[in-house]
Amino acid sequence: MSGAFFSRLAYVWCAAAAVSCARKQDASLREDAFAVAYGASEDELSPFVGNSGEDVRPSLAVRDGYFYIADKAEKKVLRFNSYGDLLALYYSPSPQITPALDAGGAVSMQTRTAYPFNAVGAVTADSRRRLFVADRLFPGWEEEDAGQNFVRSWVVRRFSKDGAYDGHIGRDGPGGAPFPYIDRLYTTGNDDLIVVCRTPEGLEAYWFSPEGYLLYAVPLELDLLPNSFEAEDGETFRSLMTALPGWDRKTLYLRIDYYRRVSAGDAPDEPSGIAYRAALLYPLDIEAGEFLPPIALPLSAEVTGQSESGWFFCVAPDGSDYAVYAVSPHSSWTPKRRLSVDPQGTAYCAFSLSPNGVLSALVAGQDSAQVVRWRTDSLIGATVQ
């Protein structure tokens, strides 16, 4: 909880009691898994401060007890087990990266795969431990979109469990044409691959079979999205934040934020301008091509994914900490739980949800990055009971 919040309370003893309760609550969920040092060795992360203007913050994906960390600045992906042992490295050869050696002076990891990545982006993995990495093509291989005046220059690199390169996936399948900017990658319980791309008009989602063949291509332009508040008086606006797949069915869930224009005459207690109206998660049955009733979300919450139980897990800033909510497909929420972080020593958090409902984060501090897990799956059990 933030100090700014408690400074507004009249009684100091109330603030101290509330802090103690929140920390104990978080402690019952939190597990510090392992730390990753900053440095130039293969098993270290580069400090993600770039001068190119690109987003070089690391990304995280967790599946079946393995942690996949994409070091965008060094163009490499590291796979750790839950003890922090580096099991696999996928890297673009560079003299700046020094091998990670064990106590006997030998390279200790199980898999080392050199591949000339150009720009590593989002990552994900499936139940077969196949790795999928978003990579931007080198100049000259891009494809211009004449209709919308932007460049398609991203593909998905695919690697086997043993580290062998299995070619790239493009818009139309294996070896296909490039995507627009790849915002996120997902795999489902059936090992389908979903690629979510961002364009000037909104999003594009591509759904592939486990073999990499295109099943559905879904344009998600803002003008085609439902407006739950269209019948209300006043002007409303929509913003499509992201899309994510269902765990075990061919459904895309669209996170849409709604805003309304506010004037001083309409709402004397609110400042004039634009007010946050609602955050909704709209299911889109891509086989039937129709929207289903929306799911209400906490305002400003990031949807980290859907677990195999069907519940969604959302994370939202809450003072100097984060709050986590479990949201059912019927819009019921668990009471929020706090996920404490050190606001002074934390530069960045990347969250990832495991299929069993355990929330993990790569918490980047000043001296190292900590991989943390919260047993958020227990929130569902408490609610059901």
Side-chain angles (χ1 to χ4, degrees), residues 21-31 337-341 374:
C21 178
R23 297 306 182 199
K24 289 179 181 178
Q25 186 185 63
D26 173 67
S28 67
L29 299 177
R30 176 169 173 155
E31 299 175 358
R337 300 289 291 271
R338 293 188 180 275
L339 308 178
S340 63
V341 296
W374 290 276

Side-chain angles (χ1 to χ4, degrees), residues 19-279:
V19 170
S20 176
C21 178
R23 297 306 182 199
K24 289 179 181 178
Q25 186 185 63
D26 173 67
S28 67
L29 299 177
R30 176 169 173 155
E31 299 175 358
D32 291 341
F34 58 91
V36 184
Y38 296 139
S41 178
E42 290 179 337
D43 58 347
E44 296 175 328
L45 292 177
S46 60
F48 48 95
V49 180
N51 298 319
S52 63
E54 296 185 357
D55 182 6
V56 294
R57 295 175 299 180
S59 58
L60 172 70
V62 182
R63 183 74 184 262
D64 300 328
Y66 295 99
F67 298 81
Y68 301 82
I69 301 176
D71 185 338
K72 299 177 183 178
E74 288 295 341
K75 305 176 186 178
K76 65 181 182 181
V77 180
L78 306 92
R79 174 162 64 89
F80 295 91
N81 62 17
S82 59
Y83 300 102
D85 300 320
L86 179 60
L87 303 180
L89 173 70
Y90 308 81
Y91 67 101
S92 183
S94 169
Q96 297 178 348
I97 301 178
T98 58
L101 306 179
D102 61 16
V107 176
S108 59
M109 72 192 70
Q110 298 176 2
T111 303
R112 296 178 79 255
T113 298
Y115 185 84
F117 296 112
N118 182 41
V120 169
V123 296
T124 192
D126 65 11
S127 66
R128 307 180 205 178
R129 276 187 269 167
R130 295 184 301 176
L131 174 68
F132 303 89
V133 183
D135 184 27
R136 190 177 61 214
L137 296 174
F138 285 95
W141 293 92
E142 310 98 330
E143 179 182 291
E144 291 190 9
D145 189 296
Q148 299 189 38
N149 193 27
F150 67 91
V151 174
R152 300 178 184 269
S153 59
W154 289 79
V155 296
V156 178
R157 307 291 182 188
R158 182 172 53 174
F159 298 88
S160 71
K161 170 185 175 181
D162 299 324
Y165 178 58
D166 286 342
H168 81 263
I169 295 176
R171 296 200 311 274
D172 39 1
F179 298 98
Y181 172 74
I182 296 176
D183 190 50
R184 303 193 183 192
L185 295 177
Y186 298 96
T187 52
T188 69
N190 300 320
D191 284 342
D192 290 349
L193 171 69
I194 291 80
V195 182
V196 179
C197 304
R198 192 166 294 279
T199 74
E201 300 299 323
L203 299 177
E204 293 178 357
Y206 298 84
W207 197 297
F208 297 93
S209 71
E211 293 73 33
Y213 297 108
L214 178 66
L215 300 178
Y216 302 96
V218 187
L220 300 170
E221 297 180 6
L222 197 60
D223 293 341
L224 304 177
L225 302 181
N227 188 350
S228 299
F229 309 99
E230 191 172 12
E232 293 186 359
D233 294 334
E235 191 175 7
T236 61
F237 306 90
R238 290 162 293 175
S239 176
L240 176 59
M241 304 303 292
T242 190
L244 63 150
W247 173 249
D248 59 357
R249 61 186 62 185
K250 289 183 171 56
T251 302
L252 279 174
Y253 292 89
L254 312 184
R255 160 65 190 278
I256 307 175
D257 285 356
Y258 292 87
Y259 304 85
R260 61 188 176 92
R261 190 179 298 280
V262 177
S263 64
D266 295 334
D269 296 333
E270 296 185 18
S272 59
I274 303 299
Y276 202 166
R277 179 67 177 83

Side-chain angles (χ1 to χ4, degrees), residues 6-12:
F6 289 120
S7 66
R8 295 194 294 268
L9 298 181
Y11 300 100
V12 175

Side-chain angles (χ1 to χ4, degrees), residues 370-384:
Q370 186 80 25
V371 175
V372 179
R373 292 178 296 192
W374 290 276
R375 294 305 306 263
T376 43
D377 55 331
S378 64
L379 299 180
I380 299 175
T383 301
V384 173

